[in-house]
C-alpha cells in the first residue's frame, strides 16, 4: 500500500503533510504536491494532516490513476521537506470540483 495525493490538492497546496513525513517522499509542483509511491512507507501520518482532505490510501476505489499520476510527477518535480504557506486561493478552491482540468500545472515548484 501507498498513499497518494488527489486533485483536491490542486490550487490549494497545503504543506502540513510535508512536516510529518518521516521519509521525505513529497514532491512539489507549481500548484500541488505528490507522493512518490515507491518511497512512501505507508505510515499514514500525512493523511490526517491535510486540511484539504487530498491524501488517500491507494486501496480506495479508483486510485490506480492517482498512483501513476503521483509516480509521474514525483520523478519530475523537486522534493519538498519544509512547510510553506498554502496558495492564496486555497480556502476558496478547497473542495471545488474538476480541479485537475481547470487548474493543474505540470510546472515544478521550488522544492526545499
Amino acid at each position: 500500500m501507498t498513499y497518494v495525493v488527489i486533485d483536491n490538492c490542486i490550487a490549494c497546496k497545503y504543506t502540513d503533510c510535508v512536516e510529518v513525513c518521516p521519509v521525505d517522499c513529497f514532491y512539489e509542483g507549481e500548484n500541488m504536491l505528490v507522493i512518490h509511491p515507491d518511497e512512501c512507507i505507508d505510515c499514514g501520518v500525512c493523511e490526517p494532516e491535510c486540511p484539504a482532505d487530498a491524501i488517500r490510501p491507494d486501496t480506495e476505489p479508483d486510485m490506480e490513476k492517482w498512483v501513476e499520476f503521483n509516480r509521474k510527477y514525483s520523478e519530475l518535480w523537486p522534493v519538498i521537506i519544509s512547510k510553506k504557506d498554502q496558495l492564496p486561493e486555497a480556502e476558496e478552491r478547497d473542495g471545488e470540483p474538476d480541479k485537475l482540468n481547470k487548474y493543474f500545472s505540470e510546472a515544478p515548484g521550488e522544492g526545499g
Side-chain angles (χ1 to χ4, degrees):
M1 189 176 91
T2 188
Y3 284 83
V4 293
V5 179
I6 61 171
D7 58 343
N8 205 44
C9 184
I10 300 168
C12 290
K13 197 166 82 170
Y14 291 99
T15 57
D16 306 65
C17 53
V18 170
E19 276 199 321
V20 299
C21 180
V23 294
D24 301 333
C25 65
F26 282 89
Y27 292 79
E28 183 184 15
E30 179 179 38
N31 67 356
M32 79 173 294
L33 303 176
V34 293
I35 295 171
H36 195 302
D38 296 335
E39 295 173 2
C40 176
I41 60 170
D42 314 326
C43 68
V45 296
C46 59
E47 186 179 23
E49 296 300 317
C50 180
D53 193 29
I55 299 175
R56 297 280 193 278
D58 70 346
T59 53
E60 287 190 6
D62 302 319
M63 288 296 122
E64 298 85 9
K65 70 178 181 182
W66 289 109
V67 171
E68 290 312 309
F69 181 94
N70 277 246
R71 182 183 316 281
K72 175 182 178 179
Y73 290 102
S74 66
E75 292 174 358
L76 298 172
W77 294 344
V79 69
I80 178 172
I81 58 173
S82 301
K83 183 174 170 49
K84 298 179 179 182
D85 291 338
Q86 70 269 15
L87 296 176
E89 67 271 18
E91 288 183 26
E92 177 185 334
R93 299 275 185 244
D94 187 7
E96 185 177 324
D98 201 28
K99 288 168 54 168
L100 183 63
N101 292 320
K102 290 180 186 175
Y103 308 116
F104 176 68
S105 169
E106 291 188 350
E110 296 174 5

